[in-house]
Amino acid sequence: MERDIAGEQDQSPTLFGERLPFLYIGAPLGVLASLVMFYIESRQASWLRASSALMFPVFAPLLLYWMHRDRSTYEHGLRGMALLIVLSLISGALLNFSSPILLIWIPVIPLSYVLLLGHARAVRWNVATLLGLIVAYILFPVMNDGARPVSVLIFGVSLLAASVSMLLSWHHYRELSVYQRRLYEQASYDGLTGAMMREPGMEILARFMSQADRQPAQAVSVALLDLDDFKRINDEEGHLAGDRVLQGVTAEVRAHIRGGDYLIRLGGEEFLIIFPGMQAEEAYALSETLRQRIPAVTDGLSRRPVTTSIGLAQYRPGEALGQLLGRADHLMYAAKTTGKNKVCTDMASSGQPTGATESAG
C-alpha cells in the first residue's frame, strides 16, 4: 500500500510544534489587521456591523496562550484557529459584503489553512469556506434590509484568486509528497530485497508494542529468520548468487505474509517479520509454511539447498524491545544448534500450547 508521506508529516506532532513560532508572528499580524478593519468599518457603518472584526482579536490570543501553556493541545488549537478564521470571515461577510475591504482577505485564507492544518485538510476547509462565502453573498441583502453587496464581478475575482491560491498550494503538496516518498523509501527500504531497514522497522515494532500495552488483546508476534549456511553460498558461488537467494527468499515471504505485516532486514541474511494482531499459534503456522517453501522457491538460485531457521516470540506486555528481540534471537539460535531448518517458539513458557519444532530434514 502506497503511503502518503507528506500527509503523515502534515499531521505529525513535531510539525504542529514547528508551526507555533509562525503563529507567534501571524496571529498578532491578524489581530492588528482585524483591529484596523474594525476601525474602518466602525467609521463607515454601525458598531454591530463592525463588531465581527473583533472576533479574531478577542479569541486568537486566547487560543495561542492555550497552545503555549499545554503543548499537547497543538492539533486542537490549530483547528480552533482555523475555525475562528472561518467564523470571522463568514460573519463579516454576512454583515459587510458591501465593503471591498473584506475581499482582500479571501485569497489569503487558503495559505492560512495550509499553515494551520496541512495541505490535505486545507483543501477541504477551503472548499467549505468558499461555499460559505457564496451563501453569505446571496444572503447579504436579506440580512441587511435589501442593501446591495459588492458586484458579482469583484466577488468572483476574489473567489478566483482564492481558488488559484488553493490549486497552486495543492500542486506544490503533490510534488512535495512524491519527493518525500522517494526520500522515505531510500532511507527506509533495502535496495536489494525491498525489505524495510532496521531503524524504521524497530520504530514500527515499538509502536505495536505500545499499542499492545494499552490493549493487551492486541497481540503482536515476531519471527526472526536466518538463512542456514548462507556464508558458504557467498564464499563458494559469489555474492551475486547470494543476492539472488536473498531476493528469492524475501519475495516469497512478502507473497505469503499479510498486507499489514512487516518484513525487516536486520543485516546480511537475517530478517525479522512483525505480525501485528497475531497470536503466536497463528504466527507459528505461517512461519512453518514459509520454512517449508523456501527450499523450493530458491531451487536453482544456488547449487546448495537453501533452508532457514526461525525463532518465533510473542510480545509480553511490559517487556522492552531488546528483551523481545533477545527471546526471538535465542529461539533462532536454538533452531540452529538443534539441526537447523526449524521453527522454534517458547509458547509453553507463557501458558499457551507448546508449538512443535519441526525439521524438514
Side-chain angles (χ1 to χ4, degrees):
M1 180 177 62
E2 188 179 76
R3 295 183 63 183
D4 186 357
I5 306 304
E8 291 177 7
Q9 292 192 356
D10 269 345
Q11 311 310 328
S12 69
T14 300
L15 193 54
F16 278 125
E18 291 174 352
R19 287 172 181 158
L20 193 58
F22 291 98
L23 285 179
Y24 287 145
I25 299 173
L29 289 176
V31 168
L32 178 62
S34 297
L35 291 175
V36 171
M37 288 183 63
F38 170 75
Y39 174 76
I40 294 173
E41 294 293 347
S42 64
R43 291 176 63 87
Q44 297 178 352
S46 67
W47 284 88
L48 176 63
R49 292 179 60 181
S51 62
S52 61
L54 289 178
M55 187 178 299
F56 191 85
V58 170
F59 292 103
L62 296 176
L63 282 171
L64 201 60
Y65 177 73
W66 179 42
M67 287 186 284
H68 177 75
R69 283 288 304 272
D70 186 357
R71 294 186 174 243
S72 66
T73 63
Y74 280 146
E75 183 171 359
H76 297 300
L78 294 176
R79 287 181 182 176
M81 194 73 73
L83 182 61
L84 179 60
I85 292 173
V86 174
L87 296 176
S88 300
L89 188 64
I90 294 181
S91 64
L94 283 170
L95 297 173
N96 299 288
F97 242 144
S98 57
S99 172
I101 296 177
L102 181 70
L103 302 180
I104 296 174
W105 297 104
I106 295 178
V108 180
I109 298 304
L111 297 180
S112 300
Y113 286 160
V114 168
L115 170 66
L116 295 170
L117 306 169
H119 290 82
R121 288 180 180 173
V123 171
R124 298 191 293 270
W125 279 68
N126 277 308
V127 170
T129 300
L130 295 185
L131 291 176
L133 287 171
I134 293 173
V135 172
Y137 184 81
I138 296 172
L139 294 178
F140 179 79
V142 178
M143 299 288 294
N144 295 273
D145 299 323
R148 298 184 61 183
V150 295
S151 69
V152 175
L153 178 61
I154 294 177
F155 178 56
V157 169
S158 182
L159 290 184
L160 179 62
S163 299
V164 170
S165 177
M166 183 171 61
L167 289 174
L168 290 176
S169 176
W170 180 253
H171 176 69
H172 168 72
Y173 164 73
R174 297 313 303 169
E175 288 190 336
L176 180 65
S177 180
V178 170
Y179 177 69
Q180 289 181 324
R181 186 178 296 113
R182 288 175 181 170
L183 291 179
Y184 176 83
E185 290 175 352
Q186 291 174 1
S188 301
Y189 291 91
D190 175 44
L192 175 65
T193 64
M196 183 171 282
M197 298 179 71
R198 183 186 187 100
E199 183 174 351
M202 294 302 99
E203 292 176 358
I204 288 173
L205 177 56
R207 187 180 71 210
F208 284 123
M209 291 166 61
S210 296
Q211 291 176 0
D213 285 335
R214 295 191 300 270
Q215 301 176 343
Q218 295 294 318
V220 57
S221 298
V222 296
L224 188 60
L225 181 154
D226 188 272
L227 300 184
D228 299 323
D229 301 317
F230 184 76
K231 185 176 183 301
R232 296 183 63 178
I233 296 176
N234 281 333
D235 292 344
E236 296 172 6
E237 303 177 47
H239 288 278
L240 289 179
D243 290 348
R244 288 195 301 269
V245 168
L246 291 174
Q247 290 171 333
V249 169
T250 53
E252 181 66 14
V253 172
R254 287 199 301 272
H256 281 79
I257 61 178
R258 303 169 304 171
D261 298 335
Y262 291 85
L263 174 64
I264 302 160
R265 187 179 184 186
L266 298 180
E269 70 276 18
E270 191 173 54
F271 297 87
L272 183 74
I273 308 173
I274 304 175
F275 300 109
M278 186 181 288
Q279 299 285 342
E281 297 93 330
E282 186 180 356
Y284 175 84
L286 183 51
S287 300
E288 180 60 24
T289 298
L290 291 172
R291 182 198 68 78
Q292 293 175 8
R293 289 191 56 82
I294 283 175
V297 298
T298 55
D299 186 33
L301 300 180
S302 169
R303 294 193 297 268
R304 300 179 56 84
V306 179
T307 61
T308 183
S309 297
I310 301 175
L312 176 67
Q314 180 176 324
Y315 172 65
R316 298 168 182 168
E319 72 177 332
L321 177 64
Q323 292 174 308
L324 173 61
L325 295 180
R327 287 197 294 118
D329 187 65
H330 175 77
L331 291 164
M332 185 270 292
Y333 274 104
K336 291 277 191 187
T337 56
T338 56
K340 302 178 182 177
N341 194 20
K342 293 183 178 182
V343 179
C344 282
T345 178
D346 61 354
M347 285 188 287
S349 65
S350 59
Q352 299 167 339
T354 303
T357 55
E358 300 182 15
S359 171

